Amino acid sequence: MSPAITADDAVPDAAAARSVDELALVERFRASARAADREAAFAALFAAYRARVFTLCRHLTRSAADAEDATQETFVALLRALPTFRGESSLGTFVHRIAMRVAIRQRERSVRHADLRVEPPPATTAGQADPVEAGEDRRRLWAALEQLSLEHRTVIALFAVDGLGHKEIAAVLGIPEGTVWSRLHLARKRLAALLAA
Amino acid sequence: MTPGPNRDDCEKFEIEIGMRQHGALDAAEEALLDAHLATCDGCREFARLSGATASTLQADVRDEVARIDWGAMERGIARLRRNYRLKLWLAPLFLLQVPLTFLIATGHLPPPDVMAVGPVSTVAIYVGWVWLVNRPFREVLAVVKSPEDLLRAYRRELRRQKLRTGAFVAVNGALTLFSAAMIAAVPDLRGKLIVAGVTAVMAAWTAYDLRWKLPRINRALAALGTEAEGSR
């Protein structure tokens, strides 16, 4: 398997350029007196982060519908939080921390409503030797993921988001980089044990 | 005979397998890892499983992302924002509740002494309502304001909730018992009915906290895991 190198690691300048644009958008959102300008700036931020926020929420919640709700709530909370953003962390860290907290609450809510069934994403079995077996493996994988503790699941979820580097993951979780690697290792060990059981 | 791989080394290399998958190893470290993988079946299997798991999870959600109707999601965000604004706009109506209720019930505005009591209660209700509407945002925004361990902050928040709910159950339970005992002491039927009604509401509230709220907090604490406790 080819290593999943993130976009930020591969092209460091891309991350820097993106953060400059994002800061300009945040400034435009905060400074503009016209509602239309603020909405345009917010729409650009939504377009930049929607896929990554959804991916993170999808790995932390139980279904696509829950993930969509959590994604919407994340952006509403982001609107409330943007005036307090001081640029101490990257905007990405800021957005993903909000998304994680919202997704955890959404997950709590779905447990409260006794909707304990995990809904894996629809199978993409085209081109696979045995689609039935592949589908069963995927169901087992998602069920095993569901059994992980939240701290293990969050680190696996963050590493599954395209374009998130390990430094940013450490910042999102608020833990040192070394702890990120050891937590990822323990999570994968646990997942492997669950799959082997 | 060639000695088998050392388990301590395997632990270190297993961590490095994850680091390599995410591009965090330099060439020398990769070479050492490759040399270890060439001799260790367990680590090779761990690398294969880790890689397959990560790529399956990424690919599954990538397909789902490609199918999302982002326009519908933007409309959903707009709807949530409208609902939030509407809830905030409902709050000022509370400020008019005493004079309006009095006007509807009696056909004229309340006397000055009632008008004096009214603002205090209405402002209290107003503040409570805005606090309630903003509560979900406060929970979320608390975590982005501080750079600390997000899960540790969440654990602390859950423990505070548990403590608050436990204290509330104890106080509310005691008051419910006291209120139930008071029913017999009230002389007239109307008074008895009012006290019984208040007792029933308090009992229902206590039962809700005991039956649903505390177990939910305990479940969330148990699902969190134990490592965040000691991580630095």
Side-chain angles (χ1 to χ4, degrees):
Chain A
M1 199 202 86
S2 62
I5 297 173
T6 65
D8 287 0
D9 290 335
V11 195
D13 289 344
R18 199 185 60 207
S19 75
V20 168
D21 286 342
E22 285 167 352
L23 289 178
L25 279 173
V26 171
E27 207 38 55
R28 190 171 141 202
F29 177 83
R30 287 201 296 218
S32 178
R34 289 180 56 225
D37 273 357
R38 285 200 304 275
E39 289 301 319
F42 179 68
L45 286 174
F46 176 70
Y49 282 104
R50 61 192 188 186
R52 280 191 272 172
V53 167
F54 176 83
T55 305
L56 180 57
C57 292
R58 182 64 181 97
H59 280 101
L60 290 173
T61 57
R62 292 188 157 78
S63 67
D66 279 355
E68 285 186 22
D69 287 349
T71 305
Q72 291 178 6
E73 283 183 32
T74 297
F75 282 100
V76 176
L78 177 64
L79 269 168
R80 296 289 310 280
L82 273 180
T84 68
F85 178 66
R86 299 276 169 267
E88 287 138 357
S89 63
S90 77
L91 184 65
T93 302
F94 192 71
V95 173
H96 290 112
R97 267 178 91 85
I98 294 177
M100 268 193 57
R101 183 63 189 87
V102 171
I104 288 169
R105 194 177 60 200
Q106 183 67 34
R107 187 179 166 78
E108 233 184 80
R109 241 186 252 162
S110 76
V111 174
R112 202 186 314 173
H113 294 149
D115 178 18
L116 290 166
R117 201 166 53 86
V118 188
E119 182 198 304
T124 310
T125 51
Q128 286 173 350
D130 185 347
V132 176
E133 196 181 321
E136 186 51 41
D137 283 351
R138 287 177 55 260
R139 263 191 295 279
R140 282 182 56 229
L141 174 59
W142 280 85
L145 195 65
E146 186 59 27
Q147 289 178 56
L148 291 182
S149 68
L150 196 57
E151 66 193 0
H152 288 164
R153 192 170 174 145
T154 46
V155 76
I156 285 192
L158 283 162
F159 272 106
V161 176
D162 284 334
L164 262 191
H166 59 276
K167 288 188 176 68
E168 192 159 14
I169 289 174
V172 171
L173 288 169
I175 57 177
E177 281 176 51
T179 310
V180 170
W181 293 123
S182 61
R183 201 176 279 186
L184 177 68
H185 168 242
L186 290 172
R188 285 184 170 168
K189 284 283 265 194
R190 178 82 186 118
L191 196 60
L194 287 166
L195 287 169
Chain B
M1 198 180 89
T2 318
N6 182 329
R7 281 310 304 163
D8 289 341
D9 283 351
C10 285
E11 190 85 0
K12 172 177 145 309
F13 285 118
E14 280 172 359
I15 292 174
E16 289 190 355
I17 286 166
M19 293 172 74
R20 171 150 83 178
Q21 283 171 349
H22 299 284
L25 286 189
D26 61 33
E29 288 168 327
E30 287 209 31
L32 276 175
L33 175 59
D34 283 334
H36 176 79
L37 288 176
T39 62
C40 181
D41 291 343
C43 284
R44 259 202 317 277
E45 177 57 16
F46 182 75
R48 188 196 65 76
L49 196 63
S50 293
T53 303
S55 57
T56 303
L57 291 175
Q58 279 186 327
D60 275 0
V61 177
R62 209 177 286 139
D63 288 345
E64 223 168 31
V65 167
R67 283 193 290 268
I68 291 178
D69 179 352
W70 294 113
M73 196 173 283
E74 277 192 274
R75 288 192 293 280
I77 292 170
R79 195 167 48 244
L80 282 178
R81 290 170 70 188
R82 267 199 309 276
N83 288 348
Y84 171 70
R85 279 197 293 266
L86 183 69
K87 280 180 188 169
L88 280 188
W89 276 107
L90 280 174
L93 288 181
F94 284 125
L95 293 171
L96 299 171
Q97 64 168 335
V98 169
L100 272 179
T101 310
F102 207 93
L103 188 66
I104 291 164
T106 64
H108 56 83
L109 281 172
D113 54 338
V114 175
M115 286 289 261
V117 174
V120 177
S121 66
T122 49
V123 166
I125 292 170
Y126 173 79
V127 170
W129 176 258
V130 173
W131 182 84
L132 207 67
V133 170
N134 278 306
R135 194 175 158 185
F137 292 113
R138 276 202 311 278
E139 279 176 16
V140 170
L141 300 188
V143 304
V144 293
K145 281 181 185 158
S146 133
E148 70 169 328
D149 184 337
L150 193 142
L151 293 180
R152 193 189 294 221
Y154 177 53
R155 181 191 298 278
R156 205 171 44 235
E157 183 190 314
L158 285 173
R159 284 187 172 152
R160 266 203 298 262
Q161 272 183 33
K162 187 175 172 177
L163 204 67
R164 265 200 314 266
T165 309
F168 186 80
V169 164
V171 171
N172 208 22
L175 287 174
T176 306
L177 290 174
F178 176 75
S179 180
M182 287 297 292
I183 297 173
V186 176
D188 63 310
L189 182 64
R190 190 163 168 269
K192 278 183 195 297
L193 286 174
I194 290 171
V195 176
V198 170
T199 308
V201 170
M202 286 161 66
W205 202 333
T206 310
Y208 167 80
D209 281 348
L210 276 174
R211 174 70 181 79
W212 285 284
K213 196 170 175 185
L214 274 175
R216 176 177 60 79
I217 296 170
N218 285 333
R219 266 201 310 273
L221 272 168
L224 194 52
T226 53
E227 195 199 329
E229 192 80 39
S231 64
R232 291 284 176 273

